[in-house]
Amino acid sequence: GQSLEQPSEVTAVEGAIVQINCTYQTSGFYGLSWYQQHDGGAPTFLSYNALDGLEETGRFSSFLSRSDSYGYLLLQELQMKDSASYFCAVNSGNTPLVFGKGTRLSVIA
Amino acid sequence: DGGITQSPKYLFRKEGQNVTLSCEQNLNHDAMYWYRQDPGQGLRLIYYSQIVNDFQKGDIAEGYSVSREKKESFPLTVTSAQKNPTAFYLCASSIGGSENSPLHFGNGTRLTVT
């Protein structure tokens, strides 16, 4: 089976940096994806890591350590509009994504 | 603009009635998916289809049915056998055939059964 663990809630101050962690257990692993979902909206794809290391896309970065079965999403220069839920998801090849339960990020002034 | 359309956005039904949720995509994607989302929960897979006229059960398929007669369409029927159908339902599609095919989601249908 597959399982993912991520914190249920995180609060951070506008302009700051926040890290959302994700640990996973899976029988097969190709990569780790991250999605953002605003309340009542559609999840949108943020990033994908197949190899160890850090991938940077603007204010967002994502990290993967395959040996530790661990990844994180790093959000810099936080803005109020970043308040949303963030989901990590495991890609196991030819089967659909398996999602974590999500981390609700609240950005405060 | 290409995308995924789910309709309606809100749906209300009486217990014991079957209801069908629509999902249409014009992205020319081969794979389509249905996920269910409950408050504070992640997305749980109901059914998926990687090609027309073929589909597979996901983790929580009981009480649901699907069809994939056209590439563009993947309707989900919530039957009266589904014990707790009130939820937010999300349809998604992907190019398929690659482990790095991001999912494109529709805006969801919020179903309330009373």
Side-chain angles (χ1 to χ4, degrees):
Chain A
Q2 294 161 320
S3 67
L4 296 93
E5 295 288 333
Q6 51 181 131
S8 58
E9 293 182 1
V10 172
T11 300
V13 177
E14 192 176 15
I17 299 172
V18 71
Q19 179 174 312
I20 299 173
N21 298 321
C22 175
T23 58
Y24 58 87
Q25 287 186 313
T26 178
S27 53
F29 181 82
Y30 278 77
L32 190 70
S33 299
W34 288 91
Y35 286 77
Q36 178 193 59
Q37 184 184 31
H38 287 97
D39 281 348
T44 56
F45 172 76
L46 290 177
S47 67
Y48 175 74
N49 294 67
L51 303 175
D52 285 357
L54 191 68
E55 297 275 348
E56 299 182 55
T57 309
R59 294 188 298 115
F60 292 7
S61 303
S62 56
F63 171 83
L64 176 66
S65 168
R66 295 174 70 110
S67 60
D68 295 323
S69 298
Y70 164 74
Y72 65 73
L73 180 69
L74 191 73
L75 295 82
Q76 302 182 72
E77 301 172 18
L78 279 173
Q79 302 175 9
M80 300 300 284
K81 68 178 181 179
D82 297 329
S83 293
S85 292
Y86 293 84
F87 296 88
C88 58
V90 165
N91 298 64
S92 296
N94 203 28
T95 55
L97 287 182
V98 176
F99 286 84
K101 291 188 176 181
T103 298
R104 188 176 183 88
L105 171 64
S106 297
V107 180
I108 58 176
Chain B
D1 274 345
I4 298 183
T5 302
Q6 289 188 243
S7 60
K9 189 169 178 64
Y10 298 95
L11 192 53
F12 298 88
R13 281 292 183 272
K14 293 290 188 186
E15 202 172 303
Q17 294 178 334
N18 291 356
V19 60
T20 297
L21 282 59
S22 168
C23 178
E24 304 278 332
Q25 55 101 356
N26 60 4
L27 299 166
N28 200 31
H29 285 172
D30 286 318
M32 296 187 74
Y33 312 82
W34 275 104
Y35 286 90
R36 169 181 171 141
Q37 188 174 31
D38 295 283
Q41 299 293 315
L43 284 69
R44 292 185 291 166
L45 182 67
I46 305 172
Y47 268 98
Y48 66 103
S49 167
Q50 294 179 315
I51 197 168
V52 175
N53 291 322
D54 189 39
F55 49 82
Q56 286 79 40
K57 292 182 179 180
D59 300 318
I60 57 166
E62 186 175 348
Y64 299 98
S65 66
V66 293
S67 63
R68 186 85 188 277
E69 297 176 1
K70 298 186 300 182
K71 188 175 186 178
E72 302 79 20
S73 179
F74 192 40
L76 173 75
T77 297
V78 184
T79 75
S80 56
Q82 167 50 233
K83 295 188 186 338
N84 188 16
T86 295
F88 188 48
Y89 290 88
L90 286 158
C91 179
S93 71
S94 68
I95 293 173
S98 165
E99 72 272 11
N100 186 21
S101 299
L103 297 185
H104 297 256
F105 284 88
N107 286 326
T109 293
R110 191 168 298 279
L111 173 65
T112 302
V113 176
T114 58

